[in-house]
Amino acid sequence: MGPLRLTLAALLLGARFVPSGGALHEPRSEEAAADDACLLQLVSDSPAYRVADPLVYVLTVDTAIGRTRYAMLAATVGQMGITSLQKVEGVSIAHYPSEEALQASPLAVMSEEQKRFWETTPHRSNGALACAIGHSHIWRLAREALSKPGAPKWAVILEDDAKVNTTMSLNDALAKVSNEADLAFFDGRFCRFYRPGLIGAGLPRSWGSTAYAVTARGAAALLAEPIFLPSDEWLNVPIREGKVKGFCGDVIFFEHPGGKSERFDYVGE
């Protein structure tokens, strides 16, 4: 399956996806769809990526609110220098209304150990499970894409309700991230307890998966954990265990609609 490209205008009008070859994408058989379950749908209103450009994934769902949120985000990220988005449709509780259904969905890659771990997770919910499945799906896509020759170092991951908070260049911000870091955070929630700069083992738990970036090594570290947690908390684990380092910038690029971005008493390196 080749990359699927359409203009932002076509997206906002709800046009059908058109592959780069020009023919309309016809419905696939269930067997073929299963084979392609881990391939992404690429939405682009610009020329091909320059080598230095990060991949930018947006996690959304195929519902009316998901389509609205995605269109609003796609219409505003250009002010930060983002010229291409890769739209990834996760699983929705509207389509998979129970934990059992979510765990059996095509995007869910959960071992029996991870399913048992999820059963012990405090504050778990169908929505949290759906979100975690979507994020872990993107980590697999990012790990594969970033490992290819000539690939950029970073993949940025945005939830579709992220609100653009600045006109500063996200690419410039990524260039300032420490070479020691494999996870970088750009929303106002995850880093509110940390000083700008590197974060590592032993730091207090934080949460927030609205906007962050991973390297291939960072994605692999997340996927290597024998756990299954809400994505907000999962992002903590390899950092707190000292397997990789994270990075908090000094600019809040995205806000979560219901989150606070104030920074409190800093801790960190």
Side-chain angles (χ1 to χ4, degrees), residues 2 29 32 38 74 91 99 128 152 161 186 207 224 265:
S29 68
C38 289
V91 290
E99 287 190 0
D161 57 355
F186 295 102
W207 60 92
D265 293 334

Side-chain angles (χ1 to χ4, degrees), residues 147-169:
S147 299
K148 294 180 179 179
K153 178 179 180 179
W154 292 100
V156 176
I157 300 170
L158 306 176
E159 294 178 343
D160 62 6
D161 57 355
K163 305 297 182 184
V164 174
N165 191 55
T166 181
T167 58
M168 296 183 66
S169 166

Side-chain angles (χ1 to χ4, degrees), residues 39-259:
L39 296 180
L40 71 156
Q41 293 175 306
L42 173 61
V43 177
S44 174
D45 63 340
S46 70
Y49 285 107
R50 299 185 305 273
V51 172
D53 287 345
L55 301 174
V56 183
Y57 297 95
V58 179
L59 177 60
T60 188
V61 290
D62 185 21
T63 64
I65 190 170
R67 290 187 289 273
T68 298
R69 286 174 171 176
Y70 179 79
M72 292 176 63
L73 180 60
T76 55
V77 293
Q79 69 189 52
M80 298 184 340
I82 297 175
T83 57
S84 294
L85 298 176
Q86 299 197 20
K87 178 184 181 184
V88 180
E89 291 182 354
V91 290
S92 168
I93 57 175
H95 303 145
Y96 299 91
S98 68
E99 287 190 0
E100 292 76 15
L102 286 165
Q103 291 175 359
S105 66
L107 298 189
V109 178
M110 298 178 68
S111 67
E112 292 303 315
E113 180 182 6
Q114 287 178 317
K115 291 177 182 179
R116 289 192 295 270
F117 190 97
W118 179 259
E119 293 295 323
T120 68
T121 301
H123 313 300
R124 78 179 197 269
S125 67
N126 289 359
L129 178 57
C131 190
I133 289 171
H135 279 271
S136 59
H137 173 58
I138 293 180
W139 299 338
R140 293 192 296 275
L141 295 175
R143 179 183 60 183
E144 178 180 355
L146 296 176
S147 299
K148 294 180 179 179
K153 178 179 180 179
W154 292 100
V156 176
I157 300 170
L158 306 176
E159 294 178 343
D160 62 6
D161 57 355
K163 305 297 182 184
V164 174
N165 191 55
T166 181
T167 58
M168 296 183 66
S169 166
L170 184 60
N171 212 15
D172 289 348
L174 282 167
K176 296 176 183 177
V177 173
S178 169
N179 287 332
E180 297 181 52
D182 289 290
L183 294 168
F185 299 92
F186 295 102
D187 74 336
R189 296 193 302 164
F190 192 94
C191 289
R192 64 190 177 281
F193 298 116
Y194 304 144
R195 293 183 185 278
L198 283 171
I199 54 176
L203 292 183
R205 183 184 68 86
S206 189
W207 60 92
S209 55
T210 305
Y212 61 98
V214 299
T215 64
R217 183 170 180 264
L222 289 162
L223 292 167
E225 295 293 337
I227 58 165
F228 216 89
L229 284 169
S231 53
D232 301 61
E233 299 182 31
W234 198 336
L235 290 168
N236 285 272
V237 177
I239 296 174
R240 295 188 68 199
E241 292 179 348
K243 297 175 180 177
V244 296
K245 289 187 176 182
F247 187 87
C248 287
D250 55 4
V251 174
I252 297 171
F253 279 82
F254 297 91
E255 296 274 15
H256 184 276

